[in-house]
Amino acid sequence: MYRIAVVGDYDSIYGFAALGLDTFPVNTHEEAGETLRRLAEGEYGIIYITESWAADLQHEIERYQGQVTPAIIQIPGIAGNTGAGVASVKKSVEVAVGSDILFGN
């Protein structure tokens, strides 16, 4: 069975532990990249990552986009929503249903 992880700064993710999710607070770019790689290659089917860290690790995240697992989903951090997570989900849905072909996006 796959597990669910949350990656980001401590203040943004500590509440997810109360929901039973595995939290991985990170402080540096290197630490965040290594954590994401370890989780993606392990038993995690869903990895939530704060938008700010996702922006820093975009090249890492792209390597997993063609795979079924893990699903890497951006979430707002404590600083608020940047809209980046919504844009990536919208594009994924458009590709999945074929509206990118219909509307020429």
Side-chain angles (χ1 to χ4, degrees):
M1 180 192 280
Y2 289 112
R3 297 169 68 181
I4 301 173
V6 186
V7 178
D9 60 281
Y10 177 80
D11 290 338
S12 296
I13 68 168
Y14 73 92
F16 288 96
L19 299 173
L21 306 182
D22 297 336
T23 57
F24 298 88
V26 293
N27 296 309
T28 66
H29 181 82
E30 293 78 21
E31 181 183 18
E34 173 56 33
T35 299
L36 182 61
R37 282 187 295 278
R38 184 170 37 88
L39 297 174
E41 294 168 6
E43 57 189 36
Y44 288 91
I46 299 173
I47 301 171
Y48 292 105
I49 185 169
T50 58
E51 292 171 332
S52 60
W53 280 112
D56 285 350
L57 299 173
Q58 192 58 42
H59 65 284
E60 290 286 336
I61 292 171
E62 287 173 359
R63 72 174 19 164
Y64 302 107
Q65 286 181 342
Q67 300 177 13
V68 175
T69 58
I72 300 176
I73 302 167
Q74 296 181 38
I75 58 174
I78 196 150
N81 187 354
T82 66
V86 173
S88 68
V89 169
K90 180 181 180 290
K91 183 63 180 169
S92 296
V93 170
E94 288 174 349
V95 170
V97 299
S99 68
D100 59 324
I101 297 169
L102 296 173
F103 299 111
N105 292 356

